[in-house]
């Protein structure tokens, strides 16, 4: 099998480029290659994603314009080092999945594919890279990862503790969350957003960042109506979850048809929006944790209270998820048309202090190492081994 002296970054979605950007841009572009997982066949699979990624790289990172599909190199070559978030495996047909094909007649939701993490088959040294601040403390990390990754790069004290408990002999490094650890001043982000969206300089900036979720049409329309009212009092940006475009198309299209100012730029690092805001409104997920990480005032939109519990995605109410655990510590509101309440949240100085305390409790403040330094060191070691 051919050995390639390069550092490969494993991609599933276009947003992975933004996630890795603050790291791979610190590495010589001649050493970096991107591998796109075109072998996954789950509900997240989208044939258009490869072209989206290629376009994003060519526009934002032209020096790093080397990308190939995993199907073209799998079983043919191995890289010195591979960096992956381990969030999507490949899907393959096996004897086990063949048996599932027959069981599918009795269990409609059963997949005919077997999922397999192949990072170790693609490289000699595998590095897990934190991609999400939200974790399910019951199941994280996935047991299969023990034989998949050699090194773990973590962002939170919880991540580190959970990995250490399950994989006690693995190397773990605290890197913070590079996607949110940029050095550009907050005031510069604010100026950019005000100019881009043609905002009123006298109004506060609110960013609505919902997590991925399916909702009944009546709930979606009601949320849009409340947000449109909110936008008449504040500078409001709504960024639909990127996956809604493919997985919840009706919801995505209703937002596009609204009068709201939408951010549909898949290449934008959400830290720009969060940093520019005076208040983040979200319903959970990683955005909640990212806002806390950046010490931003936060309001939970608890629209779930209006929804039929049976219809809700389980992860929105799973008490093992970090976002659900933290949600009770910050203000929440079912209806966003209560303008006076939102003004009170904006002016609440005690909330800022509370957010800082939550941040210190869950996330790494000191003793962080640079992700690119760990990656370069492992690359150099593997190269010396020949």
């Amino acid at each position: 099998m051919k050995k390639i002296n390069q550092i490969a970054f494993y991609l599933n979605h276009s947003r992975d480029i933004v996630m890795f950007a603050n790291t791979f841009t610190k590495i010589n572009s001649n050493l970096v290659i991107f591998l796109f997982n075109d072998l996954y066949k789950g509900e997240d699979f989208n044939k258009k994603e490869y072209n989206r990624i290629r376009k994003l790289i060519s526009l934002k990172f032209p020096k790093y314009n080397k990308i190939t599909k995993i199907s073209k190199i799998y079983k043919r070559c191995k890289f010195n080092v591979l960096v992956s978030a381990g969030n999507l495996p490949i899907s393959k047909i096996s004897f086990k999945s063949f048996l599932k094909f027959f069981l599918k007649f009795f269990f409609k939701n059963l997949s005919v594919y077997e999922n397999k993490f192949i990072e170790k088959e693609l490289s000699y040294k595998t590095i897990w890279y934190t991609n999400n601040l939200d974790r399910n403390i019951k199941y994280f990390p996935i047991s299969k990862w023990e034989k998949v990754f050699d090194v773990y790069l973590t962002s939170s004290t919880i991540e580190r503790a959970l990995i250490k408990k399950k994989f006690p002999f693995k190397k773990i490094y605290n890197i913070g969350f590079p996607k949110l650890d940029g050095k550009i001043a907050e005031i510069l982000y604010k100026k950019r957003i005000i100019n881009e969206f043609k905002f009123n300089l006298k109004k506060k900036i609110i960013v609505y960042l919902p997590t991925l979720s399916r909702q009944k049409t009546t709930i979606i329309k009601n949320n849009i109506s409340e947000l449109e009212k909110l936008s008449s009092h504040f500078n409001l940006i709504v960024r639909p979850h990127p996956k809604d475009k493919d997985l919840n198309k009706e919801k995505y299209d209703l937002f596009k048809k609204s009068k709201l100012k939408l951010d549909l730029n898949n290449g934008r690092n959400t830290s720009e929006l969060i940093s520019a805001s005076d208040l983040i409104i979200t319903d959970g997920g990683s955005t909640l944790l990212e806002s806390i990480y950046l010490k931003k005032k936060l309001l939970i939109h608890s629209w779930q209270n209006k929804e039929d519990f049976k219809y809700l995605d389980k992860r929105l109410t799973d008490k093992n998820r970090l976002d659900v655990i933290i949600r009770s510590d910050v203000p929440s509101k079912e209806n966003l048309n209560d303008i006076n309440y939102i003004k009170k949240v904006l002016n609440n100085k005690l909330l800022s202090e509370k957010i800082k305390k939550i941040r210190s409790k869950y996330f790494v403040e000191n003793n962080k190492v640079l992700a690119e330094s760990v990656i370069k060191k492992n690359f150099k070691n593997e190269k010396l081994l020949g």
Side-chain angles (χ1 to χ4, degrees):
M1 188 177 291
K2 185 178 179 181
K3 181 175 182 178
I4 300 178
N5 290 319
Q6 283 185 305
I7 299 167
F9 284 81
Y10 189 109
L11 306 176
N12 294 296
H13 304 285
S14 54
R15 67 179 185 277
D16 293 343
I17 290 292
V18 178
M19 174 186 72
F20 287 132
N22 279 351
T23 296
F24 72 71
T25 52
K26 309 291 194 319
I27 301 172
N28 188 320
S29 60
N30 293 322
L31 298 178
V32 175
I33 185 169
F34 298 106
L35 306 181
F36 174 68
N37 180 8
D38 61 326
L39 298 177
Y40 177 69
K41 306 301 180 185
E43 67 169 4
D44 285 351
F45 179 71
N46 190 301
K47 292 180 180 179
K48 297 178 182 178
E49 200 66 15
Y50 179 67
N51 290 329
R52 290 174 187 167
I53 291 172
R54 289 186 63 187
K55 183 178 179 181
L56 177 58
I57 293 173
S58 63
L59 287 174
K60 297 280 188 178
F61 312 101
K63 289 183 179 180
Y64 296 84
N65 204 9
K66 283 180 284 188
I67 180 172
T68 188
K69 294 179 180 179
I70 288 178
S71 61
K72 292 183 177 181
I73 54 94
Y74 184 40
K75 300 289 188 183
R76 296 181 179 90
C77 63
K78 290 183 77 171
F79 296 87
N80 265 16
V81 172
L82 181 140
V83 183
S84 169
N87 58 333
L88 285 184
I90 66 164
S91 307
K92 58 179 291 187
I93 300 293
S94 64
F95 178 71
K96 183 179 178 180
S97 63
F98 185 71
L99 291 176
K100 283 185 178 181
F101 176 78
F102 294 100
L103 290 174
K104 193 173 177 66
F105 290 103
F106 303 99
F107 304 98
K108 292 183 180 180
N109 294 324
L110 197 62
S111 172
V112 296
Y113 292 101
E114 178 186 357
N115 290 329
K116 182 181 181 182
F117 292 98
I118 61 166
E119 281 87 342
K120 201 62 183 172
E121 297 178 60
L122 296 172
S123 70
Y124 294 94
K125 182 69 73 172
T126 51
I127 300 176
W128 180 83
Y129 188 106
T130 182
N131 70 323
N132 194 329
L133 295 179
D134 189 20
R135 294 297 173 204
N136 188 310
I137 60 176
K138 184 177 180 179
Y139 300 109
F140 181 87
I142 299 171
S143 297
K144 291 181 180 180
W145 286 354
E146 184 173 15
K147 295 181 179 180
V148 176
F149 296 106
D150 304 305
V151 178
Y152 289 80
L153 305 181
T154 63
S155 63
S156 68
T157 53
I158 283 184
E159 272 186 350
R160 182 180 178 85
L162 292 173
I163 293 171
K164 193 71 176 175
K165 182 179 180 180
K166 194 172 280 190
F167 312 143
F169 303 108
K170 296 292 184 178
K171 292 181 179 179
I172 306 171
Y173 298 90
N174 295 323
I175 63 167
F177 202 58
K179 173 186 168 184
L180 304 180
D181 287 333
K183 299 296 183 183
I184 297 179
E186 199 172 282
I187 192 168
L188 181 55
Y189 281 137
K190 195 176 285 282
K191 284 181 179 179
R192 285 181 183 175
I193 294 300
I194 287 171
N195 290 334
E196 180 179 344
F197 290 92
K198 298 179 174 57
F199 279 151
N200 185 332
L201 289 169
K202 296 180 180 179
K203 291 183 177 181
K204 297 284 188 179
I205 298 175
I206 295 178
V207 181
Y208 185 74
L209 292 167
T211 189
L212 178 69
S213 63
R214 59 194 178 103
Q215 299 169 338
K216 289 182 180 177
T217 305
T218 52
I219 297 290
I220 300 168
K221 289 182 176 179
N222 183 67
N223 289 346
I224 290 173
S225 176
E226 290 181 6
L227 288 166
E228 285 177 341
K229 180 179 178 181
L230 195 64
S231 67
S232 65
H233 295 268
F234 305 98
N235 292 325
L236 178 69
I237 301 172
V238 176
R239 181 179 171 89
H241 194 284
K243 284 188 182 180
D244 275 334
K245 185 176 183 178
D246 301 315
L247 300 180
N248 297 305
K249 197 171 187 310
E250 182 195 14
K251 176 183 174 183
Y252 187 85
D253 288 342
L254 283 171
F255 270 99
K256 282 193 73 175
K257 292 175 183 177
S258 73
K259 298 176 183 178
L260 296 165
K261 290 190 176 183
L262 305 180
D263 174 38
L264 303 177
N265 180 0
N266 284 338
R268 193 196 303 277
N269 189 329
T270 50
S271 68
E272 295 181 23
L273 295 175
I274 296 172
S275 295
S277 73
D278 295 294
L279 176 67
I280 294 294
I281 301 178
T282 184
D283 50 1
S286 187
T287 296
L288 187 155
L289 283 304
E290 289 182 14
S291 301
I292 290 172
Y293 191 92
L294 290 174
K295 303 173 184 176
K296 282 291 177 176
K297 286 182 179 176
L298 186 65
L299 175 65
I300 302 300
H301 183 201
S302 51
W303 59 265
Q304 297 96 327
N305 296 342
K306 306 174 188 176
E307 187 65 89
D308 185 346
F309 186 78
K310 294 179 181 178
Y311 189 80
L312 285 174
D313 293 324
K314 289 183 179 179
R315 62 184 181 80
L316 295 175
T317 56
D318 187 344
K319 293 181 180 180
N320 291 304
R321 294 193 67 89
L322 191 54
D323 68 318
V324 176
I325 293 170
I326 294 177
R327 193 184 299 168
S328 60
D329 291 330
V330 294
S332 65
K333 195 67 179 174
E334 187 175 307
N335 300 307
L336 297 180
N337 51 16
D338 189 339
I339 305 303
N340 288 330
Y341 180 82
I342 291 173
K343 286 180 178 179
K344 287 179 181 178
V345 173
L346 275 162
N347 296 319
N348 189 342
K349 293 181 180 180
L350 292 177
L351 177 59
S352 296
E353 293 304 313
K354 190 172 187 178
I355 295 293
K356 289 177 183 178
K357 288 181 181 178
I358 296 173
R359 199 235 192 252
S360 297
K361 179 180 178 180
Y362 290 101
F363 300 113
V364 178
E365 294 277 1
N366 302 307
N367 301 319
K368 292 189 288 188
V369 300
L370 296 174
E372 59 270 21
S373 296
V374 178
I375 293 168
K376 288 176 185 177
K377 182 179 178 180
N378 280 275
F379 173 76
K380 184 178 180 180
N381 291 343
E382 285 303 315
K383 196 172 181 181
L384 287 173
L385 290 172

